[in-house]
């Protein structure tokens, strides 16, 4: 028996291609029911035209909806973290961050992560599996439903900075982003989507070749091979020298800057010398540095750089003409901050 068509995981074109002989309007109606009207099932067909109803009688379809196990809000109410259960029982976390007049969703791309960064809770827990296209799209739909339930809207930005390494799950991630940016459906702006990578060089090259219209953030954390590899083990596989070549090719070909992420660890990578080396590494390149004070995790003993050290670090970058932002700490009280996500036991 053929598998059900998954309305969460197909692009509109793919769905239309699976409905030969039917006018395109029917694929559009069905797809929009899930991608715009946020329906979790389409068993009520009363609003559909007869040809679509008939087609549905013969062609089983399904929708990926993730079960909300738990929702925790930060003390200030602006950040909420959803623990979501996948069809096979594994759990992931998705974070929704509120700003005046808009929301940003932070999505997971894998259950766990294989990259093993020492200070990251997801990395500490190891890799379970890749998420499917439907499971990535379903996180966005879950956030929209949660907002709609409170009469809210305004999900505008996506960051692929939750659990997992997006470029290790390249195809599913790109299909999911094609779906959520389709103007017929959720219509998220590609320029409001950021993909964060630990530095998988082949993935960065593919983004460049395929001219993907999203922002790219690259996690650096160290500006010498040895310092980076001590924090980010995959630095041994794709050395900094090679990574920076791929980044420079990206900025030149795409005509856009790269965001570089630097988790600031007290006494680890927050010194003036290290800021100077980072500035030298990025010289002449369109770049913006996001400085993220280390968030606590169970498996790493380091602590966040002091405000003074962060300011000094930023000052050195500024003097070298490199813009940077010290990232606001969000949701730390509910372990929803950068690098604090891991699936809890359910
Ligand atoms: N796998 C991707 C995206 C997810 S992590 C990546 O590594 O880029 C998103 C960001 O959070 C990365 O820059 C990561 O280095 C950072 N991060 C991980 N653990 C952290 C922690 N404990 N405190 C602060 N930032 C952390
Ligand atoms: Fe994976 Fe990113 Fe965490 Fe590293 S920081 S372990 S790449 S999720």
């Amino acid at each position: 028996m053929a598998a059900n068509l998954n309305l969460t995981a197909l692009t509109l074109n793919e769905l239309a291609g699976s409905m030969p002989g039917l006018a395109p309007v029917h694929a559009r109606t069905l797809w929009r029911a899930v991608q715009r009207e946020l329906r979790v099932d389409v068993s009520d067909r009363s609003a559909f035209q007869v040809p679509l109803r008939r087609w549905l009688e013969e062609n089983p379809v399904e929708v990926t909806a993730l079960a909300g196990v738990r929702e925790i809000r930060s003390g200030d109410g602006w950040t909420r973290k959803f623990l979501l259960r996948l069809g096979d029982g594994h759990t992931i976390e998705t974070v929704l961050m509120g700003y005046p007049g808009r929301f940003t969703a932070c999505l997971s791309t894998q259950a766990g992560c294989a990259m093993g960064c020492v200070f990251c809770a997801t990395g500490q827990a190891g890799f379970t599996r890749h998420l499917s296209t439907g499971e990535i799209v379903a996180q966005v739909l879950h956030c929209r439903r949660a907002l709609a339930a409170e009469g809210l809207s305004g999900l505008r930005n996506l960051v692929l900075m939750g659990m997992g390494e997006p470029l290790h799950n390249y195809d599913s991630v790109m299909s999911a982003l094609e779906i959520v940016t389709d103007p017929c459906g959720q219509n998220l702006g590609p320029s409001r989507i950021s993909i964060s990578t630990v530095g998988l060089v082949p993935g960065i090259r593919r983004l460049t070749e395929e001219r993907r219209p999203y922002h790219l953030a690259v996690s650096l954390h160290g500006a010498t091979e040895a310092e980076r590899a001590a924090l980010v083990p995959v630095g041994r596989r794709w050395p900094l020298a090679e990574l920076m070549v791929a980044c420079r090719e990206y900025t030149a070909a795409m005509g856009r800057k790269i965001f570089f992420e630097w988790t600031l660890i007290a006494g680890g990578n927050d010194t003036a010398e290290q800021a100077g080396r980072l500035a030298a590494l990025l010289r002449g390149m369109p770049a913006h540095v996001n400085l993220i004070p280390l968030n606590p995790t169970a498996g790493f003993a380091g602590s966040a750089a002091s405000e003074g050290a962060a300011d000094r670090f930023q000052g050195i970058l500024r003097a070298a003409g490199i813009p940077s932002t010290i990232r606001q700490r969000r949701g730390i009280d509910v372990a929803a901050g950068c690098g604090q996500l891991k699936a809890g036991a359910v």
Side-chain angles (χ1 to χ4, degrees):
M1 211 179 78
N4 292 355
L5 284 176
N6 185 333
L7 301 177
T8 319
L10 293 176
T11 63
L12 176 53
N13 275 340
E14 287 166 345
L15 179 63
S18 308
M19 300 171 82
L22 253 73
V25 65
H26 300 299
R28 214 176 142 108
T29 304
L30 186 58
W31 194 78
R32 282 170 66 107
V34 173
Q35 300 291 348
R36 186 162 278 207
E37 294 152 31
L38 310 178
R39 284 173 60 174
V40 282
D41 77 88
V42 290
S43 51
D44 175 6
R45 298 169 191 167
S46 51
F48 298 156
Q49 291 179 347
V50 174
L52 178 54
R53 284 196 220 172
R54 288 219 188 98
W55 184 87
L56 282 167
E57 275 157 26
E58 279 154 31
N59 296 277
V61 295
E62 65 183 39
V63 175
T64 303
L66 304 174
V69 179
R70 200 164 55 218
E71 178 182 337
I72 313 172
R73 273 182 206 239
S74 63
D76 65 12
W78 284 97
T79 303
R80 48 183 130 174
K81 181 170 83 163
F82 302 104
L83 181 67
L84 303 173
R85 190 188 293 114
L86 308 173
D88 62 2
H90 293 301
T91 52
I92 55 164
E93 295 184 328
T94 304
V95 181
L96 186 57
M97 294 167 285
Y99 300 89
R102 69 187 169 90
F103 291 90
T104 296
C106 178
L107 307 184
S108 291
T109 55
Q110 298 176 319
C113 183
M115 302 299 143
C117 303
V118 297
F119 48 73
C120 170
T122 310
Q124 290 157 15
F127 180 68
T128 304
R129 70 166 172 86
H130 294 300
L131 299 189
S132 65
T133 298
E135 288 165 338
I136 299 168
V137 174
Q139 293 173 64
V140 190
L141 295 171
H142 188 90
C143 290
R144 286 189 188 279
R145 281 188 208 104
L147 290 174
E150 297 177 7
L152 297 168
S153 62
L155 179 61
R156 298 253 187 287
N157 297 68
L158 295 184
V159 293
L160 277 60
M161 298 186 182
M163 297 167 63
E165 166 51 43
L167 300 187
H168 185 207
N169 188 15
Y170 191 94
D171 292 325
S172 299
V173 166
M174 293 308 145
S175 301
L177 295 183
E178 265 173 54
I179 291 170
V180 300
T181 51
D182 189 323
C184 291
Q186 301 193 45
N187 194 23
L188 282 160
S191 64
R192 292 174 175 273
I193 296 177
S194 300
I195 300 174
S196 175
T197 178
V198 70
L200 300 197
V201 169
I204 295 172
R205 296 230 158 94
R206 246 181 110 180
L207 288 174
T208 312
E209 279 158 24
E210 297 172 4
R211 295 289 188 278
R212 297 284 174 177
Y214 314 112
H215 290 295
L216 178 63
V218 174
S219 298
L220 272 186
H221 314 305
T224 66
E225 300 288 358
E227 285 180 1
R228 181 162 195 266
L231 297 171
V232 179
V234 294
R236 292 190 193 96
R237 174 121 179 243
W238 289 291
L240 197 51
E242 212 182 302
L243 173 61
M244 294 315 293
V245 170
C247 288
R248 284 179 190 274
E249 283 167 2
Y250 176 95
T251 55
M254 305 288 284
R256 54 165 76 218
K257 67 182 166 212
I258 292 182
F259 295 83
F260 289 96
E261 291 163 292
W262 189 282
T263 295
L264 276 171
I265 304 166
N269 60 1
D270 66 345
T271 65
E273 295 71 42
Q274 282 157 322
R277 282 201 288 271
L278 174 59
L281 192 67
L282 302 182
R283 185 155 298 139
M285 174 178 192
H288 186 105
V289 176
N290 284 326
L291 300 166
I292 317 169
L294 179 77
N295 292 317
T297 57
F300 185 66
S303 54
S306 67
E307 247 177 71
D311 288 344
R312 180 183 58 190
F313 202 97
Q314 189 173 36
I316 292 166
L317 295 179
R318 192 183 305 119
I322 298 168
S324 66
T325 312
I326 300 178
R327 193 173 286 172
Q328 266 183 60
R329 309 188 82 190
R330 301 287 305 254
I332 307 307
D333 56 338
V334 292
C338 295
Q340 294 185 302
L341 303 185
K342 64 171 197 253
V346 201

